[in-house]
Amino acid sequence: MLKKGSILYSILTGSCPKCHQESMYEDQNPYHIANVYKMHENCSHCGLHYQIEPSFFYGAMYVSYGLTVGIGIAAFIISKVIIGLSLLQSFIAIIASLIALMPVTARLARNIYINIFVHFDKDAVKK
């Protein structure tokens, strides 16, 4: 399920969606905030140009919105229903979780978005 060739592998590791050979990002750690959006221009293995068209990753904002809504709902259910915090404490937990997971959410949104348009090709690696 989480091996090279699956979409989930590319999304979770941030690897090239076409060949899965290298990371799309210059810095692997999303918590280095200054480098969270810095990407290589092309894959060194298959030559895929990550910025498919100008402003391509603006569409990832919609994916990011969906991810943050899901995280917010999960944080609310965990804090209010499971732990039993007050309503104010639950909203503080939502805000804290969204802030803490912002770099991860930003990268995941980009990874999901590019994997919508580019699919794995086992023959993509340059010889």
Side-chain angles (χ1 to χ4, degrees), residues 11 17 25 36 40 47-48 75 82 95 99 107 109 112 119 121:
I11 290 171
Y25 301 98
V36 74
H40 299 288
L48 174 68
I82 296 174
I95 292 168
I99 290 172
R107 287 237 177 134
I112 291 169
H119 302 288
D121 181 7

XYZ file of all heavy atoms in Angstrom, residues 11 17 25 36 40 47-48 75 82 95 99 107 109 112 119 121:
127
model
N 2.242 11.067 -2.168
C 1.615 12.113 -1.357
C 2.278 12.212 0.008
O 2.615 13.306 0.468
C 0.101 11.855 -1.214
C -0.597 12.092 -2.552
C -0.507 12.729 -0.128
C -2.050 11.665 -2.572
N 5.795 12.756 -8.450
C 4.628 11.922 -8.730
C 4.791 11.032 -9.960
O 4.085 10.040 -10.093
C 3.506 12.936 -8.944
C 4.187 14.188 -9.320
C 5.522 14.170 -8.633
N 10.859 18.666 -2.840
C 11.213 19.807 -2.006
C 12.714 19.876 -1.763
O 13.370 18.856 -1.605
C 10.464 19.737 -0.681
C 8.967 19.730 -0.892
C 8.264 18.539 -0.886
C 8.291 20.908 -1.141
C 6.897 18.527 -1.113
C 6.924 20.900 -1.369
C 6.238 19.717 -1.347
O 4.887 19.707 -1.580
N 9.436 26.008 3.473
C 8.293 25.109 3.344
C 7.787 25.011 1.905
O 7.350 23.951 1.465
C 7.155 25.503 4.314
C 6.418 26.737 3.873
C 6.188 24.351 4.499
N 12.281 21.967 -5.980
C 13.149 21.863 -7.142
C 12.316 22.228 -8.371
O 11.105 22.039 -8.385
C 13.693 20.439 -7.296
C 14.513 19.973 -6.151
N 15.776 20.451 -5.887
C 14.246 19.069 -5.179
C 16.255 19.858 -4.807
N 15.341 19.011 -4.356
N 12.845 14.256 -15.225
C 12.764 15.546 -15.892
C 11.424 16.246 -15.773
O 11.198 17.266 -16.426
N 10.509 15.729 -14.953
C 9.202 16.360 -14.797
C 9.362 17.776 -14.255
O 10.049 18.000 -13.265
C 8.325 15.543 -13.845
C 6.971 16.160 -13.484
C 6.054 16.173 -14.709
C 6.339 15.417 -12.343
N -10.004 17.665 15.528
C -9.562 18.262 16.799
C -10.748 18.557 17.711
O -10.667 18.358 18.930
C -8.775 19.540 16.521
N -14.287 13.261 23.097
C -13.488 12.199 23.732
C -12.870 12.663 25.042
O -12.990 11.986 26.066
C -12.409 11.688 22.752
C -13.096 11.035 21.539
C -11.458 10.723 23.438
C -12.163 10.609 20.439
N -7.537 25.695 17.108
C -6.601 26.716 16.629
C -5.158 26.247 16.814
O -4.328 26.382 15.911
C -6.851 28.063 17.336
C -8.204 28.621 16.895
C -5.742 29.063 17.044
C -8.695 29.791 17.723
N -2.497 25.561 13.724
C -1.220 26.285 13.658
C -0.047 25.303 13.680
O 0.901 25.445 12.907
C -1.123 27.316 14.801
C -2.109 28.460 14.556
C 0.303 27.856 14.925
C -2.243 29.430 15.714
N 2.224 21.333 2.652
C 2.936 20.378 1.795
C 2.011 19.264 1.309
O 2.057 18.870 0.147
C 4.118 19.768 2.548
C 5.253 20.744 2.723
C 6.506 20.172 2.113
N 7.604 21.117 2.209
C 8.810 20.789 2.611
N 9.084 19.560 2.982
N 9.763 21.688 2.630
N -1.145 19.410 0.821
C -2.046 19.964 -0.188
C -1.359 20.030 -1.545
O -1.947 19.664 -2.567
C -2.519 21.354 0.234
N -0.983 16.377 -2.868
C -2.249 15.842 -3.366
C -2.602 16.489 -4.692
O -3.005 15.814 -5.644
C -3.378 16.063 -2.326
C -3.139 15.181 -1.097
C -4.744 15.784 -2.936
C -4.032 15.511 0.081
N 0.582 11.255 -12.981
C 0.476 9.881 -12.488
C 1.802 9.138 -12.635
O 2.627 9.479 -13.471
C -0.639 9.145 -13.222
C -1.957 9.829 -13.082
N -2.668 9.846 -11.913
C -2.679 10.558 -13.953
C -3.784 10.535 -12.063
N -3.808 10.990 -13.323
N 4.650 6.648 -13.627
C 5.036 5.980 -14.864
C 6.328 5.222 -14.575
O 7.377 5.834 -14.396
C 5.238 7.002 -15.981
C 5.622 6.369 -17.304
O 5.602 5.126 -17.408
O 5.940 7.130 -18.242
